[in-house]
Amino acid sequence: MVKTLDDNAMPPLIDHVGWRLWRLARQWKTEFDTAMAARGHGWMAEARGAVVGHLRPGGMSQSALPSAMGISKQAVQQLVDELVAEGIVERIPDPTDGRGRIVRLLPRGKQAIADGNEVKLEIEARYADRIGAGRLAALNAALDVLAEGT
Amino acid sequence: MVKTLDDNAMPPLIDHVGWRLWRLARQWKTEFDTAMAARGHGWMAEARGAVVGHLRPGGMSQSALPSAMGISKQAVQQLVDELVAEGIVERIPDPTDGRGRIVRLLPRGKQAIADGNEVKLEIEARYADRIGAGRLAALNAALDVLAEGT
DNA sequence: GGGTATCGTCAAGTAACTTGACTATACTGG
DNA sequence: CCAGTATAGTCAAGTTACTTGACGATACCC
């Protein structure tokens, strides 16, 4: 019984939708991060970048971020602390709730969001060039339908 | 100038391919991890699960793992240490290289891979039910083409 | 107006890495 | 065949991105 040969004849553990999704998602993020770093927003690649990505430009209650981002409120606290220290956002009291704080974008943060939107459009345009606008739309639709399920 | 209103009228930062890819990739992983946990392989959800996912059932040189997984050799070392401690893999000397070690799956590890392959097929089957085999094939093809480019 | 829930914060712990330093073994050119 | 250099694995320590727990202050509900 040539067990080792049989073993090695097994398919690679890599040929499935899940792996393909991860690969392209990682690649997309690398492209995004590289382009953002080139525009001076290298910090967007780190965890605090995700906070800015979830922020409405008009500002947002800090308490809304944990559920939106899927992390704990203490994690949000720490990330916002860093963004405040770097002058990307500020924390102001919530006029409608004595306990709450509003996280508001400073100019540097607003610029990052504007540049981020541009970069996303550029990447999407490159994708459309490669597979065609129709197939890209079909891809987006399929991703949406599959995500709905669970 | 009603700046705040304009700000809030901006599109959500969430409506782009990159976000859709991340969302479905995360969801796929959650489905996979849940199914694996139900089969007694809860540890597959953690970092050391990725090592087993990259291992050929016949065994593999430890030195090949860092580049395959995209992490440092020291990180691989630590993860393999954990797997050895849990009786999932063993480290044996490489007969062809006095410096090297072969990381070889023990029965528990082989079972995890077998179960993992089953679970992947189940998830893929559910995907096919939802969008049809043809659209799923088109999705896979699109993901492959886009990943090629870098 | 008292009980309970929520908001933000401080503190400490953990997972999953990283970089740096080191030893043992292998390969390579003269 | 042997000095020089590269590679495999290991040990130690540091960093990042979280986590859970505890707590005071404010808000909400009956």
Side-chain angles (χ1 to χ4, degrees):
Chain A
M1 187 167 98
V2 193
K3 191 69 198 251
T4 304
L5 268 181
D6 285 343
D7 282 347
N8 283 328
M10 285 180 66
L13 303 168
I14 241 167
D15 184 32
H16 52 86
V17 217
W19 181 76
R20 287 187 170 89
L21 288 167
W22 277 109
R23 178 182 52 173
L24 193 57
R26 263 198 317 270
Q27 191 178 295
W28 184 92
K29 187 172 190 326
T30 302
E31 271 186 75
F32 180 78
D33 291 344
T34 304
M36 287 302 274
R39 293 173 191 232
H41 309 297
W43 54 271
M44 280 288 285
E46 277 133 73
R48 54 192 178 283
V51 176
V52 171
H54 280 83
L55 236 42
R56 304 310 312 242
M60 196 164 154
S61 164
Q62 184 173 315
S63 63
L65 283 167
S67 63
M69 300 181 59
I71 60 178
S72 66
K73 64 177 178 173
Q74 293 93 330
V76 168
Q77 172 89 11
Q78 289 166 23
L79 297 175
V80 172
D81 281 351
E82 291 175 23
L83 291 168
V84 168
E86 292 170 287
I88 294 163
V89 306
E90 60 180 347
R91 249 194 286 242
I92 59 171
D94 185 336
T96 74
D97 186 335
R99 301 163 301 178
R101 303 294 200 98
I102 301 289
V103 179
R104 197 165 57 175
L105 286 161
L106 291 174
R108 213 178 135 200
K110 293 200 180 200
Q111 189 58 51
I113 292 200
D115 286 346
N117 285 332
E118 262 185 49
V119 168
K120 283 167 198 161
L121 290 175
E122 284 171 16
I123 298 177
E124 202 134 350
R126 277 202 298 278
Y127 278 16
D129 280 349
R130 283 242 281 295
I131 62 172
R135 287 222 283 160
L136 181 55
L139 169 66
N140 275 321
L143 293 174
D144 280 342
V145 172
L146 290 174
E148 263 167 35
T150 299
Chain B
M1 190 167 97
V2 193
K3 189 72 196 239
T4 304
L5 268 182
D6 286 342
D7 283 348
N8 283 326
M10 286 181 65
L13 305 168
I14 241 166
D15 185 31
H16 53 86
V17 217
W19 181 76
R20 287 186 170 89
L21 288 166
W22 277 110
R23 178 182 53 173
L24 193 57
R26 263 198 318 270
Q27 190 177 298
W28 185 93
K29 187 172 190 324
T30 301
E31 270 186 75
F32 180 79
D33 290 344
T34 303
M36 288 301 274
R39 292 171 191 233
H41 309 296
W43 54 271
M44 280 287 286
E46 277 133 72
R48 55 193 179 282
V51 176
V52 171
H54 280 84
L55 236 42
R56 302 313 310 245
M60 196 164 154
S61 163
Q62 184 172 315
S63 63
L65 283 167
S67 63
M69 299 181 60
I71 60 178
S72 67
K73 64 177 178 174
Q74 294 92 330
V76 168
Q77 173 89 10
Q78 289 165 22
L79 297 175
V80 172
D81 282 350
E82 291 174 23
L83 291 168
V84 168
E86 291 170 287
I88 294 162
V89 306
E90 60 180 346
R91 248 194 287 241
I92 59 172
D94 186 337
T96 74
D97 187 333
R99 300 164 301 180
R101 304 295 200 97
I102 301 290
V103 180
R104 197 164 59 175
L105 286 160
L106 291 174
R108 214 178 135 199
K110 293 201 181 200
Q111 189 58 49
I113 292 199
D115 286 346
N117 285 333
E118 262 185 49
V119 168
K120 283 167 198 163
L121 290 175
E122 283 170 17
I123 298 177
E124 202 134 351
R126 277 202 296 279
Y127 278 16
D129 280 351
R130 284 241 282 293
I131 62 171
R135 286 223 284 160
L136 181 55
L139 169 65
N140 275 321
L143 292 175
D144 281 342
V145 173
L146 289 174
E148 266 167 35
T150 298

